[in-house]
Amino acid sequence: MDNQVLAQLLFWRTVPGFEPSPAAFAPAQDAIQDLREHLQKTVDAGLLHPDAASDEGIALYTSITSGVLSQQLANEPGASFEEGRFTRLLPTVLEMFYQRYTPTRGKR
């Protein structure tokens, strides 16, 4: 929320035809790897279903969290993260992710 132009450059393709160089894209790949490792540790601790650390789980997590930020920037850019109509829903969104990947998912 503090650097909205940077957020646009990081999360959206604001310049038609632009593709980052491998070196410029490396930090994004590192961030995804960090997320994967964090989710895997949570799976290993028995707090999430193994699918949470899968490619699908990573895609869902990044989609819902970046979607919250995108909605906030598009609809209420002047609000703080804590007070934003969309960003304040992040705990609820993360709870939804947890419910999707609850450790007992698929067990009867």
Side-chain angles (χ1 to χ4, degrees):
M1 294 308 300
D2 290 339
N3 195 334
Q4 295 180 21
V5 172
L6 180 59
Q8 291 171 9
L9 291 172
L10 287 172
F11 297 114
W12 304 321
R13 300 266 177 155
T14 56
V15 179
F18 173 79
E19 288 194 32
S21 69
F25 195 59
Q29 292 175 310
D30 291 344
I32 292 296
Q33 184 59 32
D34 288 346
L35 173 60
R36 184 180 305 278
E37 290 170 6
H38 179 73
L39 288 173
Q40 187 60 53
K41 287 177 184 176
T42 308
V43 167
D44 293 346
L47 301 173
L48 288 174
H49 188 276
D51 290 348
S54 70
D55 289 341
E56 178 186 281
I58 301 280
L60 180 60
Y61 186 93
T62 58
S63 294
I64 60 177
T65 55
S66 65
V68 166
L69 179 60
S70 293
Q71 282 288 84
Q72 188 62 49
L73 291 174
N75 294 290
E76 203 176 38
S80 70
F81 186 88
E82 295 78 13
E83 296 176 358
R85 183 172 60 172
F86 299 96
T87 49
R88 72 173 178 242
L89 296 174
L90 189 57
T92 302
V93 168
L94 293 176
E95 177 64 22
M96 292 168 62
F97 180 83
Y98 172 76
Q99 290 301 321
R100 172 71 175 104
Y101 294 110
T102 185
T104 58
R105 180 176 157 223
K107 295 181 181 177
R108 295 195 185 260

